């Protein structure tokens, strides 16, 4: 197996399962087509990362967010999506669903916690899944609420906790 092949296999080994399956369970893709798409997109990611960015992503995934990590950046396309073959995906959402929030349905359920998150609309996009928090869009209060993790730096929720 080539160096990039082993890196791809390593990153794919960090897939997460449904929370009900336990913290150490690995999520199998729902179909062979899903597995092939995941492999293609992770292959595309590995080929576009510098070795230091790959190391940073590996560190974040291995520590499951317990360690502070830097942004892992890819070039942003004109429409913000990543195209692999005929499939287009929002990169931050795809990688968050693969490695952190398997039940994620829409990119509106994410909030970036770094300066280069997808929502900053810069020339590069951070795809480190631990630089995003899942939010629940509640209809009762009309506001967003964090589902897991800490509030973004400088947020009103964080200031109230101090």
């Amino acid at each position: 197996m080539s160096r990039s092949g082993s890196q791809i296999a390593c990153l794919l080994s960090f897939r997460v399962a449904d929370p009900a399956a336990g913290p150490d369970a690995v999520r199998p893709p729902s179909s062979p087509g899903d597995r092939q798409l995941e492999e293609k997109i992770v292959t595309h990611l590995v080929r576009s990362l510098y070795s230091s960015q790959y190391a940073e992503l590996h560190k974040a995934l291995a520590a499951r967010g317990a360690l502070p990590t830097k942004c892992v950046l890819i070039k942003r396309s004109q429409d913000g999506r990543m195209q692999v073959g005929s499939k287009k995906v929002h990169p931050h959402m795809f990688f968050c669903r693969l490695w952190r929030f398997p039940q994620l349905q829409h990119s509106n359920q994410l909030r970036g916690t770094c300066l280069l998150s997808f929502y900053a609309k810069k020339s590069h996009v951070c795809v480190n899944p631990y630089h995003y928090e899942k939010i629940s869009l509640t209809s009762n209060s009309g506001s967003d609420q964090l589902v897991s993790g800490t509030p973004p730096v400088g947020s009103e929720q964080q200031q109230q906790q101090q």
Side-chain angles (χ1 to χ4, degrees):
M1 187 181 295
S2 70
R3 186 178 93 125
S4 66
S6 63
Q7 291 174 332
I8 294 162
C10 181
L11 292 182
L12 287 170
S13 73
F14 289 110
R15 289 180 183 113
V16 292
D18 189 302
D24 295 322
V26 174
R27 175 184 59 87
S30 56
S31 72
D34 288 348
R35 179 175 291 279
Q36 289 175 346
L37 178 63
E38 287 175 357
E39 288 175 4
K40 283 181 181 181
I41 293 175
V42 171
T43 299
H44 181 76
L45 175 68
V46 167
R47 289 181 179 159
S48 67
L49 293 178
Y50 292 109
S51 60
S52 61
Q53 288 185 316
Y54 171 82
E56 198 66 26
L57 179 59
H58 184 271
K59 175 182 165 183
L61 296 174
R64 293 186 179 164
L67 299 174
T69 53
K70 297 176 185 172
C71 289
V72 177
L73 302 175
I74 61 171
K75 189 167 177 74
R76 183 187 191 98
S77 67
Q78 282 186 330
D79 69 355
R81 296 183 293 173
M82 177 183 211
Q83 183 164 352
V84 178
S86 62
K87 184 77 172 176
K88 282 189 160 191
V89 296
H90 285 101
H92 67 299
M93 182 180 160
F94 178 84
F95 295 120
C96 282
R97 185 172 32 209
L98 181 66
W99 290 318
R100 192 162 181 208
F101 304 117
Q103 64 283 68
L104 190 65
Q105 297 296 313
H106 196 274
S107 63
N108 288 346
Q109 293 175 289
L110 291 173
R111 176 183 299 151
T113 60
C114 65
L115 295 176
L116 292 171
S117 74
F118 178 82
Y119 309 103
K121 299 192 189 252
K122 301 286 185 183
S123 63
H124 287 77
V125 177
C126 178
V127 294
N128 183 336
Y130 292 96
H131 286 195
Y132 293 88
E133 295 294 339
K134 186 174 178 201
I135 56 175
S136 173
L137 303 175
T138 58
S139 58
N140 294 346
S141 67
S143 65
D144 300 343
Q145 295 179 344
L146 285 174
V147 172
S148 65
T150 58
V153 175
S155 72
E156 186 177 313
Q157 288 177 328
Q158 186 186 43
Q159 291 170 357
Q160 289 173 353
Q161 290 177 351
Q162 294 176 348

